[in-house]
Amino acid sequence: MKPGPFEWQAPDSLEAALALKARHGEAARFLAGGQSLVPAMNFRVAQPAVLVDLNRVAALDFCQFDADGTLRIGAMARYRRIERDAAVAARVPILVEALAEVAHPQIRTRGTLGGNLSHADPASEMPAVMLALDARFRLRRAGGERVVAAADFFLGPLATVLAEDEMLAEVIIPPLPSGSGTAFLEVARRRGDYAMMGVAAVLRRGPDGRCAEARIALCSAGPTPMAAPRASEALIGRGLNAESFAEAAALAVTEIAPMGSVQASPTYQRHLAGVLVGRALSLAAERAA
């Protein structure tokens, strides 16, 4: 299978890339790692007239912490670079834990965080992790920018708030407060397959030992990465124990809308969600200690 005809452009600056997108609009697509876009082009599901290759734009390839602990990741940072970053593993361990579940090493060597999030596959791990981490996304266009919360970015399967002339340029992850614990768990039929269900959990243990803050997000649980705000809220002020985790898991199951797949029915996905939420919360609480 071969893609349809297209014009290839490889700018060496962010400004030049944005100018090309402004000029061509919907007819142009940004090429990052190409792990999703290239197969779609080969099947002619995607047929851009202009391909704007970002691999020469060094300004988008970074992964660094600010003095206050905020993690900033450029759109062109490869999965493998983030996964192997010792500082990320120490400060934002859920990110490394979830990245280890993404496809296979060959994919992670080429794939980029910005490309993944812009693709907005609801079965993908990273969108759910971004919800759990309360991340924000910097969107750039020629002559302007805006910052959007991860919770407001995803609109539906493969659909985001990105305008036709915008690019997701940077991911901003706030520092985890002291007393925080995180966990990511998923169930897939085979290693590297899409998750039948995945759960990202972030907890903060207060001075009294009770839950002071909680965020739960799931992948393969609906048309977008699905947050579970009622389940998260139910944990606040509660002891971090099996009873409160079981109640939160039962609530989380009511907040998702799994669509099913050839591997798992919606009923089975709900069952997996209940089990994984309970386990992820337990693991996050253990790590928070």
Side-chain angles (χ1 to χ4, degrees):
M1 299 179 186
K2 297 180 180 179
F6 61 88
E7 176 187 342
W8 178 69
Q9 296 282 349
D12 57 8
S13 72
L14 177 57
E15 292 72 21
L18 294 174
L20 283 167
K21 194 69 168 76
R23 184 182 313 149
H24 297 286
E26 289 185 350
R29 292 286 298 272
F30 289 122
L31 174 66
Q35 302 306 288
S36 298
L37 178 58
V38 171
M41 291 174 62
N42 287 340
F43 281 104
R44 303 208 178 190
V45 174
Q47 298 189 59
V50 180
L51 204 58
V52 182
D53 189 338
L54 300 176
N55 283 276
R56 297 179 183 175
V57 183
L60 292 173
D61 186 7
F62 59 89
C63 179
Q64 61 196 35
F65 285 92
D66 291 345
D68 67 354
T70 298
L71 174 59
R72 299 180 181 273
I73 304 175
M76 288 299 294
R78 311 283 177 183
Y79 290 141
R80 203 65 166 164
R81 172 182 179 177
I82 304 167
E83 184 183 3
R84 292 179 170 180
D85 191 302
V88 174
R91 298 187 188 189
V92 196
I94 189 175
L95 191 52
V96 174
E97 189 171 35
L99 280 171
E101 301 289 347
V102 174
H104 302 282
Q106 297 91 330
I107 300 296
R108 299 199 296 273
T109 298
R110 288 295 305 166
T112 65
L113 182 60
N116 171 271
L117 296 172
S118 299
H119 186 58
D121 189 330
S124 181
E125 293 86 354
M126 288 299 102
V129 171
M130 293 302 127
L131 285 186
L133 289 173
D134 197 24
R136 293 171 293 144
F137 302 152
R138 188 180 306 280
L139 312 184
R140 293 286 304 271
R141 69 199 311 167
E145 66 174 53
R146 58 178 173 144
V147 176
V148 176
D152 300 322
F153 182 74
F154 303 100
L155 300 180
L158 313 185
T160 72
V161 299
L162 282 167
E164 66 176 36
D165 60 346
E166 282 185 317
M167 169 202 300
L168 195 170
E170 181 183 22
V171 175
I172 305 167
I173 300 174
L176 290 168
S178 177
S180 295
T182 67
F184 181 86
L185 295 174
E186 72 172 43
V187 172
R189 186 155 188 175
R190 296 174 302 181
R191 181 76 175 183
D193 281 2
Y194 278 116
M196 292 185 279
M197 182 59 58
V199 174
V202 176
L203 292 178
R204 180 167 63 86
R205 185 187 294 269
D208 59 359
R210 297 179 179 274
C211 181
E213 185 178 3
R215 287 189 297 275
I216 302 167
L218 304 93
C219 62
S220 284
T224 65
M226 303 294 288
R230 289 196 295 128
S232 302
E233 184 66 28
L235 289 166
I236 307 302
R238 300 282 303 278
L240 297 175
N241 52 49
E243 180 183 358
S244 61
F245 297 155
E247 291 180 15
L251 273 174
V253 169
T254 69
E255 298 187 81
I256 62 177
M259 299 181 289
S261 67
V262 295
Q263 297 179 335
S265 68
T267 299
Y268 183 52
Q269 287 181 299
R270 289 184 186 277
H271 167 73
L272 289 176
V275 172
L276 290 178
V277 168
R279 291 180 181 177
L281 290 173
S282 179
L283 184 56
E286 179 182 329
R287 292 168 173 174

